[in-house]
């Protein structure tokens, strides 16, 4: 049994004053493998006090000092890469082939923040004024369970680069991963109080961070529902908020695309991270007259993917994080069938031989219409909805007909057309012809997918306040 019974405040692992316990459950077997002691409001207050005290000197550190800290944090994570990857497999169900990459991504976020810090102009002139970028203050970092390591380091890297101190409230479902990551932070020899980590629930530790007047900013990734709650809760204390929220990203395949590449790529994009990715391309738009071909290609793509134990090297799809998430996805699959979508492959229930865990049958629906629940709501499981269009105009209109606006995907042989469509799609990130993400470039959502941008220079800027000084060169 793994007992996580400490929180990290002011450079020390200490017992929380909260005493509630939460079981840590292996999603592959549904067996309890550990327990976390949850912190409470008092613990959050203690962490905020430590972060506030540390801010005075940390906010005045040099670029060189903070750059060295980011390097040490990166190195400390890479020193324990195997252990971190194993925890990601055990606690989250990440397939082995993805787990190591996720740890590397978490470390790379810190190096990208380091590069942004070294390039950033903290002082510049506008007319007679000196304009200075200053750290905003104590930042509350609140993260989800679906990419715990990299979500934390993206926010932490930006905060450290800016000269801000932090209190991190990770997802209560990622306690083991957070414990190991925090041990890496401790090993990196960062000044006490700069990084504080408090396990706990959103309603207690999260809520204290959002209302406490000593916290200047909340950097949150999670659901749109909670993002809205946080935005409301931060009004009275006038906090800045960066909100990275949910998505229902469109994937438009134009008639001239190579369907033998575009359709399998669309399936992979939808099923990435076991189907639990905010940017998953869950709505696939194809020309009406190509539907039968698309269905065949999608079915073949699903059949070629191994759903299995995350510990096995060739598994592509592992289990969902919790039984609750499993039940939610089952509900969406049933709703799709009830509302008249055509089941191409998959369906309700577990894949044969995997009944012991939160495994979902990778599912594809065709003949989905815009009114159907599965076309509108974020499912957060491996469920792809295929919709058809007659004209490109109609495709763009349907792609934008959502409250969300996080990612979008386009496939076509005509790059001019691709760039034109990209300019008309309401989304924070557009990926053309299977291109990957540029992690130094800004990431964030339009509409209900969020406020603010993360990563690289944009992430750093989100953690800074601007001060204008005139007369700095005038003697009385
Ligand atoms: P969630 O919104 O339920 O929880 C996220 C975090 O918020 C957790 O740490 C939770 O404890 C905390 N929280 C809950 N209620 C709170 C409150 N009232 N005050 C303060 N904190 C509170 O999300 P989740 O289920 O952990 O993660 C899945 C969601 O995250 C999906 O909607 C997904 O799209 C989104 N997500 C978005 C991005 C992005 O970059 N846009 C990335 C990953 C995940």
């Amino acid at each position: 049994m793994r007992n996580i019974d400490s929180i990290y405040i002011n450079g020390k692992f200490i017992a929380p004053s909260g005493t509630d316990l939460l079981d840590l459950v292996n999603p592959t077997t549904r067996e309890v493998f550990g327990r976390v002691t949850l912190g409470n409001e008092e613990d959050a207050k203690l962490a905020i006090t430590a972060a506030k005290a540390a801010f005075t000197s940390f906010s005045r550190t040099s670029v060189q000092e903070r750059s060295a800290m980011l390097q040490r944090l990166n190195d400390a994570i890479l020193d324990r890469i195997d252990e971190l990857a194993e925890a990601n497999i055990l606690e989250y169900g990440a397939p082995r082939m993805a787990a190591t990459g996720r740890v590397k991504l978490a470390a790379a976020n810190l190096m990208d923040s380091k590069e942004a810090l070294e390039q950033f102009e903290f002082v510049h002139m506008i007319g007679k004024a000196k304009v200075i970028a200053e750290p905003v203050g104590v930042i509350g970092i609140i993260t989800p369970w679906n990419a715990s390591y990299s979500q934390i380091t993206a926010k932490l890297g930006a905060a450290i680069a800016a000269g801000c101190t932090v209190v991190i409230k990770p997802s209560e479902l990622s306690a083991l991963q957070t414990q190991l990551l925090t041990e890496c932070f401790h090993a990196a020899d960062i000044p006490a109080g700069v990084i504080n980590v408090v396990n706990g629930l959103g309603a207690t530790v999260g809520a204290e961070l959002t209302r406490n007047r000593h916290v200047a900013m909340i950097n949150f990734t999670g659901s749109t529902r909670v993002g809205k709650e946080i935005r409301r809760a931060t009004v009275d204390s006038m906090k800045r908020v960066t909100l990275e929220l949910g998505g229902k990203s469109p994937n438009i395949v134009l008639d001239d695309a190579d369907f033998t590449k575009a359709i399998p790529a669309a399936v992979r994009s939808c099923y990435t991270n076991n189907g639990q990715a905010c940017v998953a391309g869950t709505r696939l738009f194809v020309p009406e007259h190509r539907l039968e071909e698309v269905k065949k290609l999608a079915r073949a793509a699903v059949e070629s993917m191994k759903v299995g134990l995350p510990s096995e090297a060739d598994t592509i799809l592992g289990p969902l994080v919790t039984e609750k998430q499993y039940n939610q996805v089952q509900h969406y699959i049933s709703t799709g069938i009830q509302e008249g979508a055509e089941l191409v492959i998959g369906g309700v229930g577990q894949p044969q031989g995997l009944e012991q865990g939160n495994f979902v049958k990778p599912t594809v629906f065709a003949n989905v219409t815009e009114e159907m629940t599965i076309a509108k709501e974020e499912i957060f499981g491996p469920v792809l909805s295929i919709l058809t269009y007659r004209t490109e105009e109609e495709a763009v209109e349907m792609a934008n007909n959502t409250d969300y606006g996080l990612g979008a995907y386009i496939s076509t042989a005509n790059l001019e057309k691709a760039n034109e469509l990209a300019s008309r799609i309401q989304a924070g990130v557009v990926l053309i012809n299977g291109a990957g993400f540029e992690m130094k470039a800004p990431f964030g959502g339009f509409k209900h997918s969020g406020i603010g941008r993360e990563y690289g220079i944009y992430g750093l800027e989100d953690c800074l306040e601007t001060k204008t000084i005139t007369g700095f060169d005038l003697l009385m």
Side-chain angles (χ1 to χ4, degrees):
M1 288 286 276
R2 310 287 290 261
N3 282 325
I4 314 286
D5 53 8
S6 63
I7 54 178
Y8 186 68
I9 296 182
N10 211 17
K12 291 195 177 67
F13 287 94
I14 60 166
S17 52
T19 52
D20 288 350
L21 298 174
L22 184 78
D23 283 342
L24 303 177
V25 182
N26 181 343
T28 306
T29 58
R30 292 183 177 159
E31 285 166 1
V32 174
F33 70 86
R35 203 153 284 144
V36 55
T37 308
L38 299 170
N40 61 16
E41 288 90 341
E42 292 314 309
D43 296 309
K45 282 184 191 153
L46 199 64
I48 293 165
T49 304
K52 187 176 174 232
F55 181 74
T56 309
S57 55
F58 188 66
S59 58
R60 297 185 173 276
T61 48
S62 67
V63 166
Q64 290 73 19
E65 284 172 293
R66 298 203 298 283
S67 173
M69 287 181 211
L70 288 165
Q71 181 71 54
R72 294 204 297 276
L73 285 164
N74 165 82
D75 298 348
I77 289 173
L78 293 181
D79 275 350
R80 293 184 69 180
I81 190 165
D82 293 338
E83 254 180 287
L84 289 159
E86 290 303 330
N88 191 222
I89 295 167
L90 172 69
E91 183 171 55
Y92 177 63
R96 181 169 295 285
M97 67 166 72
T100 307
R102 296 194 157 268
V103 182
K104 285 186 184 157
L105 174 66
N109 285 341
L110 297 158
M111 297 311 281
D112 290 344
S113 290
K114 176 175 183 283
E115 189 182 318
L117 166 63
E118 287 162 0
Q119 287 170 0
F120 196 74
E121 274 185 47
F122 283 87
V123 182
H124 67 279
M125 297 297 299
I126 297 183
K128 286 183 292 189
K130 183 163 71 168
V131 179
I132 304 177
E134 294 185 352
V136 69
V138 173
I139 300 181
I141 291 177
I142 303 177
T143 52
W145 42 261
N146 71 327
S148 201
Y149 296 143
S150 57
Q151 293 295 342
I152 290 175
T153 60
K155 296 173 191 316
L156 176 66
I160 299 258
C164 295
T165 58
V166 305
V167 178
I168 301 170
K169 196 222 79 71
S171 170
E172 54 276 21
L173 301 175
S174 311
L176 174 62
Q177 295 165 82
T178 309
Q179 173 69 21
L180 294 178
L181 193 64
T182 309
E183 287 171 17
C184 297
F185 298 161
H186 184 67
D189 195 23
I190 306 299
V194 171
I195 305 176
N196 306 276
V197 184
V198 183
N199 290 311
L201 299 179
T204 54
V205 176
E208 181 59 37
L209 286 176
T210 57
R211 70 176 161 246
N212 193 297
R213 70 186 187 87
H214 300 300
V215 175
M217 168 177 167
I218 295 289
N219 196 340
F220 170 80
T221 295
S223 62
T224 297
R225 181 186 64 76
V226 173
K228 287 180 183 177
E229 269 181 50
I230 288 178
R231 197 171 182 200
R232 284 185 206 105
T234 50
V235 167
D236 282 342
S237 54
M238 290 290 279
K239 284 184 193 24
R240 179 179 299 182
V241 287
T242 292
L243 304 173
E244 298 287 354
L245 310 177
K248 191 75 190 171
S249 300
N251 189 339
I252 302 179
V253 179
L254 295 186
D255 212 357
D256 65 358
D258 180 347
F259 277 43
T260 63
K261 285 191 186 139
I263 304 303
V267 172
R268 278 197 303 276
S269 144
C270 179
Y271 294 175
T272 186
N273 204 14
N274 298 344
Q276 302 165 126
C278 51
V279 283
T282 48
R283 292 181 299 142
L284 175 61
F285 295 96
V286 299
E288 195 178 64
H289 70 106
R290 307 279 298 267
L291 180 60
E292 290 311 310
E293 181 188 352
V294 169
K295 283 182 348 198
K296 257 191 224 146
L297 286 165
R299 189 182 302 115
V302 173
E303 282 167 350
S304 73
M305 285 182 176
K306 177 172 163 185
V307 187
L309 301 182
S311 54
E312 289 173 358
D314 55 346
T315 291
I316 291 185
L317 266 173
L320 300 187
V321 69
T322 55
E323 200 165 341
K324 182 173 165 223
Q325 189 70 17
Y326 169 84
N327 289 330
Q328 194 164 310
V329 173
Q330 295 299 313
H331 160 77
Y332 276 115
I333 297 174
S334 306
T335 306
I337 295 168
Q338 276 159 25
E339 291 183 0
E342 176 193 346
L343 192 62
V344 176
I345 190 165
V348 288
Q350 285 146 313
Q352 222 183 358
L354 292 169
E355 293 82 1
Q356 79 288 5
N358 306 323
F359 294 90
V360 170
K361 290 182 190 163
T363 296
V364 176
F365 282 110
N367 289 313
V368 176
T369 61
E370 287 189 283
E371 299 70 40
M372 289 181 186
T373 309
I374 55 169
K376 288 196 284 210
E377 296 183 12
E378 185 182 48
I379 297 175
F380 233 54
V383 181
L384 176 65
S385 295
I386 304 176
L387 297 93
T388 58
Y389 64 85
R390 282 190 214 108
T391 62
E392 284 163 19
E393 204 56 45
E394 193 187 8
V396 173
E397 214 170 283
M398 289 166 86
N400 287 337
N401 185 19
T402 167
D403 281 341
Y404 294 111
L406 192 57
Y409 304 78
I410 299 169
S411 296
T412 170
N414 180 342
L415 272 185
E416 206 179 316
K417 171 73 68 188
N419 283 290
E420 194 248 322
L421 285 192
S423 72
R424 290 162 60 200
I425 287 180
Q426 297 158 353
V429 189
V430 183
L431 304 172
I432 296 171
N433 287 336
F437 290 91
E438 169 50 70
M439 300 306 295
K440 295 182 176 64
F443 179 86
F446 283 30
K447 304 191 282 187
H448 293 215
S449 288
I451 294 174
R453 291 293 178 270
E454 285 203 274
Y455 297 100
I457 298 261
Y458 281 72
L460 165 58
E461 280 179 335
D462 255 20
C463 303
L464 294 167
E465 266 296 7
T466 304
K467 184 181 282 175
T468 298
I469 304 176
T470 57
F472 61 91
D473 51 353
L474 292 181
L475 273 176
M476 280 292 275

